[in-house]
């Protein structure tokens, strides 16, 4: 059984939905309270059995590189101030996985970003986690579920959920080959951001988790610009369907669209309610303001 022990996190985009903060700050570093979103993605990958992670960035995202590096002067300062627990916590972050970086030269789309991972993948299947989709990993990490389906099918897997019709135009939408069945099913078409509801082949949307096989690279190299003038991963996966099987895994964790302001707020509230040191205060504050 070929194990999946690599993951790719594309993080080179401009984050225009979150301006102005993203003018000079990577959207992947936006905190869910005190933890940057990208750390949640790394944790999800690690909890899914992955050791090697490639983060694809642009030159303006060095904050991400710094975050996963040791900061010895900070450690020294904390040690001297008797804050040993903090040092332990910080060191855990930098040692949780083997993290490396690749640079996407220009923002030419998700498909182009994935092409930067060809050498890293070294002809092996790998997981992909997109930063706008934070998925709760407390019960079972979405990536782990996708890997399970990969082990059974040895094919490309797209992580999906059924969503509200009105939101379909924001996502890649799949067409089941036969019928939608839980937890996974084969697809026969994949449409990136259908302009019109009549063009959406189902209500099942791709929500930022994939397991890709190495044949994605030749497919991406042949993929022409698609929606938004960008090289779309969806189009490359769609081209694979002509000769190979592609499956959807309906993952079970709650998903937050943290690229949207409301989704981001939801993620923060839910996260606060899960933290013992915050829960009581947050609940009583919420009761007070909704009176
Ligand atoms: C990307 C993909 C899209 C997918 C979405 C999930 O779009 O192209 O197929 O449904 O992520 O968040 P983006 O949101 O980067 O425009």
């Amino acid at each position: 059984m070929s194990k999946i022990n690599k993951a790719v996190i594309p993080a080179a985009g401009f984050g225009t939905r979150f301006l102005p903060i993203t003018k000079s700050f990577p959207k992947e570093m936006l905190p869910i309270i005190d933890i940057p979103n990208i750390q949640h993605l790394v944790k999800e990958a690690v909890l899914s059995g992955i050791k090697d992670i490639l983060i694809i960035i642009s030159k303006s995202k060095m904050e991400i590189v710094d975050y996963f590096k040791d900061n010895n002067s900070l450690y020294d300062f904390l040690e001297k101030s008797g804050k040993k627990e903090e040092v332990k916590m910080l060191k855990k972050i930098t040692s949780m996985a083997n993290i490396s970086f690749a640079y996407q030269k220009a923002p030419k789309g998700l498909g182009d970003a994935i092409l930067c991972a060809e050498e890293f993948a070294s002809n092996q299947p790998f997981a992909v986690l997109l930063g706008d989709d934070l998925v709760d990993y407390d019960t079972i990490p979405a990536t782990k579920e996708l890997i399970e389906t990969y082990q059974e099918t040895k094919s490309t897997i797209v992580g999906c959920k059924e969503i509200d019709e009105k939101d379909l135009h924001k996502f890649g939408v799949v067409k089941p080959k036969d019928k939608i069945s839980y937890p996974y099913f084969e697809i026969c078409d994949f449409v990136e951001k259908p302009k019109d509801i009549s063009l959406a082949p189902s209500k099942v949307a791709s929500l930022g988790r994939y397991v890709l096989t190495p044949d994605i690279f030749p497919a991406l190299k042949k993929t022409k610009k698609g929606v938004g003038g960008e090289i779309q991963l969806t189009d490359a996966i769609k081209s694979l369907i002509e000769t190979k099987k592609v499956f959807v895994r309906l993952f079970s964790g709650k998903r937050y669209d943290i690229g949207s302001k409301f989704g981001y707020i939801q993620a923060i509230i839910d996260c606060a309610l899960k933290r013992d040191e915050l829960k009581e205060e947050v609940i009583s504050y919420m009761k007070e303001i909704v009176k």
Side-chain angles (χ1 to χ4, degrees):
M1 225 184 242
S2 57
K3 256 195 99 200
I4 300 215
N5 45 28
K6 293 182 183 214
V8 174
I9 302 179
F14 280 127
T16 52
R17 286 196 292 162
F18 239 100
L19 284 166
I21 179 69
T22 46
K23 178 172 177 256
S24 64
F25 191 71
K27 71 170 174 177
E28 297 76 12
M29 289 297 292
L30 289 173
I32 310 297
I33 308 182
D34 47 7
I35 295 177
N37 183 43
I38 196 152
Q39 187 180 326
H40 286 294
L41 299 184
V42 169
K43 179 112 185 255
E44 181 189 320
V46 169
L47 291 173
S48 304
I50 285 166
K51 305 235 165 18
D52 298 323
I53 298 176
L54 179 75
I55 303 180
I56 298 169
I57 54 173
S58 65
K59 293 276 181 203
S60 63
K61 299 241 182 162
M62 297 312 284
E63 288 89 345
I64 300 178
V65 180
D66 285 345
Y67 187 75
F68 289 105
K69 258 196 220 153
D70 284 313
N71 180 340
N72 291 321
S73 53
L74 175 61
Y75 297 168
D76 284 350
F77 174 79
L78 290 170
E79 295 269 6
K80 280 184 196 134
S81 329
K83 298 190 168 166
K84 289 203 164 58
E85 281 308 308
E86 280 81 350
V87 176
K88 236 163 108 184
M89 180 256 291
L90 294 177
K91 285 190 175 168
K92 230 166 139 181
I93 297 169
T94 52
S95 62
M96 66 203 278
N98 305 321
I99 298 179
S100 53
F101 297 89
Y103 294 89
Q104 186 184 15
K105 289 196 189 86
K108 290 196 276 183
L110 176 59
D112 181 69
I114 298 295
L115 264 178
C116 304
E118 187 169 14
E119 205 184 304
F120 169 79
S122 59
N123 229 15
Q124 298 294 315
F126 57 99
V128 174
L129 296 88
L130 305 187
D132 281 352
D133 305 277
L134 175 65
V135 185
D136 178 19
Y137 48 75
D138 284 349
T139 42
I140 175 157
T143 297
K144 192 170 184 183
E145 292 182 306
L146 267 72
I147 292 175
E148 265 170 28
T149 301
Y150 171 79
Q151 302 295 11
E152 285 180 42
T153 61
K154 294 284 181 286
S155 302
T156 299
I157 313 292
V158 184
C160 291
K161 268 187 187 296
E162 202 163 312
I163 63 162
D164 220 69
E165 234 170 45
K166 68 169 179 18
D167 293 322
L168 287 170
H169 67 97
K170 296 188 240 167
F171 300 101
V173 182
V174 300
K175 180 174 185 178
K177 187 167 177 238
D178 302 314
K179 59 180 176 52
I180 297 170
S181 61
Y182 185 81
Y184 69 88
F185 57 90
E186 194 180 341
I187 61 170
C188 63
D189 200 6
F190 197 6
V191 181
E192 178 68 7
K193 303 198 176 82
K195 274 207 187 79
D196 196 275
I197 185 76
S198 64
L199 300 171
S202 75
K203 281 168 49 175
V204 180
S206 135
L207 298 177
R209 298 292 181 276
Y210 309 83
V211 169
L212 300 176
T213 53
D215 49 14
I216 196 65
F217 296 111
L220 279 167
K221 284 173 196 162
K222 279 188 235 145
T223 301
K224 304 219 162 67
K225 286 181 189 167
V227 172
E230 296 185 341
I231 309 287
Q232 297 291 349
L233 177 60
T234 298
D235 295 339
I237 294 176
K238 180 185 161 114
S239 75
L240 290 180
I241 298 176
E242 287 161 24
T243 51
K244 308 218 150 110
K245 290 185 179 201
V246 174
F247 291 86
V248 154
R249 168 73 193 225
L250 295 167
F251 62 80
S252 37
K254 183 167 178 183
R255 173 246 175 206
Y256 303 89
D257 176 9
I258 64 155
S260 85
K261 288 166 196 169
F262 182 60
Y264 180 64
I265 293 167
Q266 284 176 311
I268 291 178
I269 294 173
D270 280 4
C271 178
L273 294 177
K274 277 191 219 154
R275 285 175 54 167
D276 292 342
E277 81 281 18
L278 291 170
K279 189 176 167 185
E280 295 307 322
E281 261 183 311
V282 172
I283 292 177
S284 88
Y285 177 65
M286 288 198 318
K287 281 186 184 153
E288 193 186 309
I289 56 172
V290 295
K291 251 185 209 158

